[in-house]
Amino acid sequence: MNTTIDSLTLDVPDVDAARSFYARAFDLGDRLRLRAADAESSGFRGFTLSLVVSQPANVHALIDAAVAAGATVIKPVSKSLWGVGGTIQAPDGTIWKVATSAKKDTAAPSRTVDEIILLLGAADVVASKTFYADRGIPVGKSFGRSYVQFDTGSGPIGLGLYRHASLAKDAGVPAEGSGSHRITVNGVLGAAVDPDGFVWAPVAVTA
């Protein structure tokens, strides 16, 4: 299926350890790929990954599984006006948010993930929005210079832009960071680099 984003590749220091963690925590299958890399990186990497689920029990199930597998809690699971969510940092440094807009449980807890959303921190949201729109990724929602949600169709991974400092604040970490983002987006743009240095690569075709 031709989708905007087919999968995401994380650069990690130890592929076997990362593979074990993600299998135990989230079990995202081939939507998440891992690659051994030692590119220099410090502080906030400029992006977060959100797992959208159907009910609060699933938020707890995924956060609990991630912590049991070795993740660090940044924001404990809590209720807010928009729903229920929590944020953790994986042992490889990637920040993950697990959330639902539902306020009540309607089924037994599970670790089923409805959608993965990649949020990129942008120095200039308008410039980054233009970069993607000019390359054929339609805008779904846009809130001035603050936030953009792209229309990625029925693909398994959504895409959004958020002001860099605002994204760090939402994640619960300092905005400062340098070096590699340590993520590659595999999708329709092929080989490309956006204004904030996020790397895209062609989708690998397997026999």
Side-chain angles (χ1 to χ4, degrees):
M1 179 173 63
N2 184 21
T3 61
T4 302
I5 301 176
D6 174 81
S7 61
L8 301 167
T9 300
L10 296 179
D11 292 345
V12 298
D14 186 329
V15 170
D16 289 338
R19 183 178 294 118
S20 175
F21 167 78
Y22 285 112
R24 293 168 60 197
F26 303 142
D27 193 19
L28 301 174
D30 59 8
R31 291 176 289 182
L32 183 67
R33 303 173 186 273
L34 303 167
R35 175 175 59 202
D38 57 1
E40 190 170 321
S41 181
S42 64
F44 182 45
R45 295 179 186 169
F47 75 93
T48 63
L49 289 165
S50 293
L51 303 181
V52 180
V53 299
S54 62
Q55 60 178 6
N58 296 6
V59 174
H60 285 281
L62 286 162
I63 293 288
D64 289 349
V67 171
T72 301
V73 175
I74 298 176
K75 288 186 175 182
V77 176
S78 63
K79 295 181 180 179
S80 68
L81 291 175
W82 52 261
V84 177
T87 305
I88 60 96
Q89 187 167 35
D92 65 84
T94 304
I95 295 173
W96 295 83
K97 183 175 184 178
V98 186
T100 180
S101 59
K103 302 294 180 68
K104 296 181 179 180
D105 295 321
T106 57
S110 80
R111 291 194 295 145
T112 300
V113 173
D114 297 332
E115 186 180 15
I116 303 171
I117 299 177
L118 170 62
L119 273 179
L120 303 178
D124 184 334
V125 170
V126 174
S128 295
K129 170 186 171 181
T130 300
F131 172 87
Y132 286 108
D134 285 351
R135 285 159 179 78
I137 301 180
V139 173
K141 297 178 182 178
S142 180
F143 300 93
R145 296 182 176 274
S146 300
Y147 178 78
V148 175
Q149 178 181 316
F150 292 98
D151 181 359
T152 54
S154 60
I157 302 172
L159 177 65
L161 301 172
Y162 210 173
R163 281 187 300 188
H164 179 94
S166 298
L167 182 59
K169 182 178 180 180
D170 181 69
V173 298
E176 294 75 23
S178 63
S180 172
H181 293 302
R182 293 200 171 207
I183 188 171
T184 299
V185 187
N186 309 306
V188 295
L189 295 193
V193 180
D194 83 355
D196 299 289
F198 288 100
V199 175
W200 285 65
V203 177
V205 178
T206 56

